[in-house]
């Protein structure tokens, strides 16, 4: 008997560790995760918006979620996600993405860094959160994201993102910050090609490429 492929959120997030104390649990962790993921996919950008999504879609959600005490409050969503292991969540999310999407032949995967809007915390003078994302341009899907360490930059985050992606047969594009030997080596080891911006500050390499184009012409 052929087993059905595991493609649901529950299939891939069931292994998430629940950080809560048993006596304080009013909602199942998988219910909280599923509502939050669905809400964000639909455009929710705050805990209040996620709660509102859950309340609006309650009848639909309860067809496949238990929801023993209804929809969690926005405070519950915030508390639970603040305690989750981010690396474990990312691993589950990436595995889920791999199961629901198919890389198109010669898919262009754009690697780019962005600052999360509203992530700067004035009260604590905390820096805004920087993320590096991989965007599948044909399938219009984010394949993965990695947070940039506050004491580092995208050069160290890009390899970490590349390591967890399936890139065979793809074309990876990165701006000039990705013009690093280790980054292009990692891309080729993933059986992918690359298009990376080259600036004049790359001295010898820029001159060699310029000569190559002139020779080709």
């Amino acid at each position: 008997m052929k087993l059905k492929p595991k493609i649901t959120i529950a299939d891939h997030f069931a292994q998430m560790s629940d950080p809560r104390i048993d006596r304080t649990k009013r909602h199942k962790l998988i219910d909280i995760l599923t509502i939050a993921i669905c809400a964000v996919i639909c455009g929710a950008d705050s805990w209040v918006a996620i709660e509102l999504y859950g309340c609006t879609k309650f009848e639909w959600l309860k067809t496949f979620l238990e929801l023993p005490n209804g929809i969690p409050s926005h405070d519950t969503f915030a508390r639970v996600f603040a305690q989750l292991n981010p690396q474990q969540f990312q691993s589950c999310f990436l595995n889920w993405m791999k199961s629901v999407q198919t890389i198109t032949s010669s898919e262009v995967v754009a690697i780019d860094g962005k600052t999360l809007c509203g992530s700067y915390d004035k009260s604590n003078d905390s820096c805004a959160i920087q993320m590096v994302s991989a965007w599948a341009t044909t399938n219009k899907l984010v394949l993965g994201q990695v947070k940039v360490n506050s004491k580092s930059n995208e050069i160290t985050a890009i390899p970490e993102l590349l390591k967890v992606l399936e890139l065979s047969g793809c074309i990876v594009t990165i701006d000039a910050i990705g013009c690093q030997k280790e980054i292009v080596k990692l891309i080729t080891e993933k059986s992918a090609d690359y298009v990376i911006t080259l600036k004049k500050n790359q001295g010898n390499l820029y001159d060699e490429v310029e000569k190559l184009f002139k020779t080709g012409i």
Side-chain angles (χ1 to χ4, degrees):
M1 180 179 177
K2 187 176 180 180
L3 296 176
K4 291 183 179 180
K6 294 182 177 181
I7 61 172
T8 69
I9 294 174
D11 286 331
H12 292 279
F13 285 84
Q15 59 183 298
M16 280 293 300
S17 301
D18 194 334
R20 300 171 295 169
I21 301 172
D22 286 340
R23 61 182 173 79
T24 65
K25 297 178 184 178
R26 297 186 68 250
H27 304 279
K28 295 179 69 66
L29 179 62
I30 194 61
D31 290 357
I32 293 173
L33 295 175
T34 301
I35 295 170
I37 291 171
C38 290
V40 171
I41 290 174
C42 291
D45 58 2
S46 70
W47 302 122
V48 172
I50 290 173
E51 179 188 358
L52 178 60
Y53 170 89
C55 294
T56 304
K57 300 293 185 180
F58 177 73
E59 293 300 323
W60 173 66
L61 290 168
K62 72 177 184 180
T63 62
F64 57 90
L65 299 179
E66 293 188 26
L67 303 175
N69 290 292
I71 300 299
S73 69
H74 59 276
D75 287 333
T76 298
F77 281 110
R79 282 196 301 269
V80 171
F81 271 87
Q83 297 177 69
L84 293 177
N85 182 313
Q87 286 75 35
Q88 188 180 30
F89 183 89
Q90 176 178 268
S91 176
C92 292
F93 186 83
L94 288 175
N95 287 333
W96 178 52
M97 283 291 94
K98 290 175 184 177
S99 74
V100 299
Q101 63 88 29
T102 301
I103 291 292
T104 304
S105 178
S106 299
E107 172 78 84
V108 175
V109 177
I111 306 292
D112 194 18
K114 297 291 184 185
T115 301
L116 293 188
C117 182
S119 61
Y120 172 64
D121 189 345
K122 293 182 179 179
S123 61
N124 296 319
D125 195 28
S126 298
C127 296
I129 296 174
Q130 305 285 330
M131 300 290 292
V132 173
S133 303
W135 172 256
T137 57
T138 300
N139 292 320
K140 301 187 184 302
L141 185 71
V142 174
L143 302 177
Q145 292 182 318
V146 169
K147 181 181 178 183
V148 178
N149 190 299
S150 59
K151 297 181 180 180
S152 185
N153 57 34
E154 292 176 26
I155 293 177
T156 58
I158 290 173
E160 295 305 311
L161 178 58
L162 292 172
K163 288 175 184 177
V164 298
L165 298 176
E166 171 52 57
L167 297 171
S168 180
C170 295
I171 301 171
V172 178
T173 66
I174 315 176
D175 59 21
I177 199 169
C179 192
Q180 306 289 327
K181 292 180 180 179
E182 290 304 314
I183 289 177
V184 297
K185 179 182 178 181
L186 184 55
I187 292 173
T188 55
E189 288 176 348
K190 288 278 186 172
S191 300
D193 294 311
Y194 57 85
V195 177
I196 298 178
T197 304
L198 178 61
K199 291 186 175 180
K200 286 187 176 180
N201 61 1
Q202 289 282 353
N204 295 334
L205 178 60
Y206 185 91
D207 292 338
E208 289 299 320
V209 171
E210 193 172 49
K211 290 178 183 178
L212 180 63
F213 275 96
K214 288 180 178 178
T215 301
I217 294 173

